[in-house]
Amino acid sequence: MEGKPGRSGLPFDPAEEQLRVGLEIHQQLATRTKLFCPCPIAKSDELPLSFERRLRPTQSEMGQIDPAAVFEFNKGRVNLYRWNPESACLVDTDEEPPHPPSTEAIETAMIVAEVLGSSTVDEVHFMRKLVIDGSNTSGFQRTGIVALGGALPVDGTSVGVLTITVEEDSSRVLKEGAQAREYALDRMGVPLVEIALDHVEGDPDLVERVALSLGRSLRSTGRVARGQGTIRQDLNVSLLGGKVVEVKGVQKLNLISKVVRYEGTRQMGLVRIAAEIERRGIAEVECRVNDVTEALKASSAPVVRRTIQKGGVVWCVSVTDFAGLLGFEPFPGIRLGKELAEIARTNGLGGVIHSDEFAKQGITGDEDVALRSLAGSDSEAGLVLVGGARDAVENVCDLIAERLRVAGAGVPAETRAATEEGETRYLRPRPGAARMYPETDIPQLEVTEEWRARLRANLPVPWEERVAGYSSRYSLSGEAALQLFDSGNSGLFEDLAGRLKLEPSVVASFLVEAPVRLSREGVDDENITPEALSAVLVALDSGKFAKEAAVDVLRTMANGTARTPDEAASKLGLTGLGDEELRALVRDVVSRNRPLVKEKGDRAFSVLMGEVMKLARGRVDGQKVSMELRRALEEGQ
Ligand SMILES: [Zn+2]
């Protein structure tokens, strides 16, 4: 059953199994204000104001209640919102109706549409999309389609563009507990452009290249936000024309192919498990739930005993003919037991214990027999123990029974979250179709032919051309030019390379490497601002310190130890050597080493160079020292 991984890195042939991945990119825009209010876009460290709200599922105009909404509501959570008037207002707290949309945001989406050959609509109508997890204070997200169609060129082929939408971002999650969640409103209402692409087939790496290319096209507009968390990718993954699983929130581009591989493997595993269910002749999965708290009071499994001692209950879901199926792993780490444990965790419990791992979890054979007799089940049944607070256990047992009833059909339609390890974990059932309805507080916005023409006359230079330009104009290698563009600092580079005496390659490598290096050291990305990068390069250009010290100077500023490069340099003891000072230092070193110079002549150079650099550590450029030293040696001969 274990196929060898093919070229795609999947344990099955993705083309044969029709692996399909649709990509949706959400990119924050760098507009002056939020989408529906005049608040600036800024992260607030202080959030002095707060209020609590519990959201209820609203009936949509269709008269149906969205199943995903009911599901979230069942979790019975209370939401706490924290905010600061510097970054949020009464629109964000949902106490004032939204203002007309930011034309700057709509215009950015229109530019993106032109870049992707998409047709803009004549009128932008905002709709309400039901969001009941509490991440939007109003209970819905406002979203408006700006353009349809188009194509994104990738590797000599192209991927169709379905829609380009402008929408408001949700609140930032501060804390996620079982019964309460905390959100910050600074991100609430920040404009996003959402681009939904047609699916890509078969190759997980191609999906990643598509995302990379789309990200570059977006950045070419010069109007999108930069930095971590400003771009989020959602993936719609399916196999064999089966149910589509939505994987939300891949934050790093280089995780996309890994996430696709994991999710493809998981789905194939569920298909194999379904085949095994069919092979066993189980036409309909039968589940029974009963309370086994009394029977397990003195259980030999510590985790079960502790749950009951703390006042919790333990219930048992018994599944006819499922012995061996819960722990069955068609691929490493892919099993039904794990799926059930994820459902429990998402709903506030620690996990589940199932009968295929009873021994490992400390449930004895006697306890197993007792549980089966209580459930009226034979030894062929699979058992799942769920423990914790009564309400949560009841809810989770229902969800687990529901999940097992559809196990014979393979992959259920779910919304999952991408993890930082490149896997996916269960979030909730997929929302139904009744989740959109018209937003009556916002008037429609007309897109005039004149507006379109004005934008068309000023389209951004395509990213490929800009990258080629960096190579030809500034003699950067193709690789360095692309890295510069991908760093998001190319605008800063164009500004600085034109007015500084520094080599463009020095400017480019600093702008590419310094932020990455500091970020890896754990320095907060938000403190590595364009202003700080620019100030360090300007100071370096005027010889305040050597280029070897530039990262140290930036670090000192990003840590908040110094406000300016001058201050940082003096804190680091890097006050640059003046020309006179350097000359004196060099002469001193040469005269102290007179015998060596006499003996070795020119070959003494490297020793002397080393000594001067040691004394001038980080305060002067090596090239300058070398020039000065050669001059001193020539004079001395
Ligand atoms: Zn606001």
Side-chain angles (χ1 to χ4, degrees), residues 34 37-39 87-92:
K34 289 186 177 180
C37 67
C39 290
S87 60
C89 66
L90 294 179
V91 173
D92 305 294

Side-chain angles (χ1 to χ4, degrees), residues 156-406:
T157 150
S158 75
V159 182
V161 175
L162 302 176
T163 52
I164 298 178
T165 310
V166 165
E167 55 188 35
E168 54 181 354
D169 206 347
S170 55
S171 325
R172 189 158 59 84
V173 179
L174 294 171
K175 247 189 248 166
E176 197 152 4
Q179 293 309 317
R181 269 185 261 195
E182 267 185 57
Y183 293 103
L185 292 190
D186 47 6
R187 205 184 69 184
M188 170 87 237
V190 169
L192 300 175
V193 60
E194 186 217 72
I195 299 163
L197 296 179
D198 203 358
H199 64 259
V200 168
E201 273 177 32
D203 183 358
D205 292 329
L206 177 60
V207 182
E208 195 166 298
R209 291 199 299 276
V210 169
L212 189 64
S213 175
L214 184 52
R216 286 172 180 158
S217 294
L218 284 169
R219 235 175 304 114
S220 75
T221 66
R223 295 169 72 136
V224 300
R226 53 191 284 285
Q228 224 196 337
T230 56
I231 188 161
R232 301 195 290 276
Q233 282 101 359
D234 293 351
L235 307 165
N236 293 310
V237 185
S238 69
L239 271 189
L240 293 159
K243 297 262 171 57
V244 176
V245 172
E246 184 182 27
V247 179
K248 291 191 97 70
V250 188
Q251 296 220 4
K252 285 186 186 142
L253 212 62
N254 58 11
L255 269 184
I256 289 180
S257 66
K258 201 174 172 194
V259 168
V260 171
R261 280 192 187 93
Y262 177 85
E263 182 54 26
T265 305
R266 189 188 74 89
Q267 292 189 15
M268 198 62 211
L270 295 181
V271 170
R272 299 255 164 103
I273 290 167
E276 179 62 18
I277 292 172
E278 195 187 347
R279 199 190 60 78
R280 289 189 182 192
I282 306 172
E284 205 169 311
V285 178
E286 278 173 51
C287 293
R288 277 192 304 283
V289 181
N290 61 312
D291 187 338
V292 294
T293 315
E294 261 322 292
L296 292 177
K297 247 183 180 157
S299 171
S300 22
V303 55
V304 173
R305 222 169 42 232
R306 267 200 309 273
T307 302
I308 299 173
Q309 274 163 7
K310 277 195 273 177
V313 300
V314 180
W315 287 14
C316 175
V317 183
S318 163
V319 207
T320 310
D321 293 335
F322 257 55
L325 270 177
L326 298 166
F328 167 50
E329 282 194 347
F331 303 115
I334 309 295
R335 54 186 186 276
L336 270 182
K338 186 175 173 188
E339 303 271 308
L340 304 181
E342 285 174 359
I343 292 178
R345 272 184 218 116
T346 305
N347 289 280
L349 300 180
V352 300
I353 298 178
H354 61 77
S355 45
D356 294 341
E357 54 168 32
F358 271 1
K360 202 172 89 192
Q361 297 291 336
I363 304 270
T364 63
D366 286 350
E367 284 169 336
D368 182 288
V369 170
L371 288 168
R372 286 176 198 279
S373 116
L374 274 172
S377 305
D378 58 19
S379 61
E380 294 303 306
L383 306 181
V384 185
L385 298 179
V386 182
R390 198 184 175 284
D391 285 355
V393 168
E394 185 174 359
N395 177 34
V396 167
C397 282
D398 283 349
L399 292 168
I400 283 179
E402 189 45 49
R403 176 66 187 83
L404 289 167
R405 277 189 201 107
V406 297

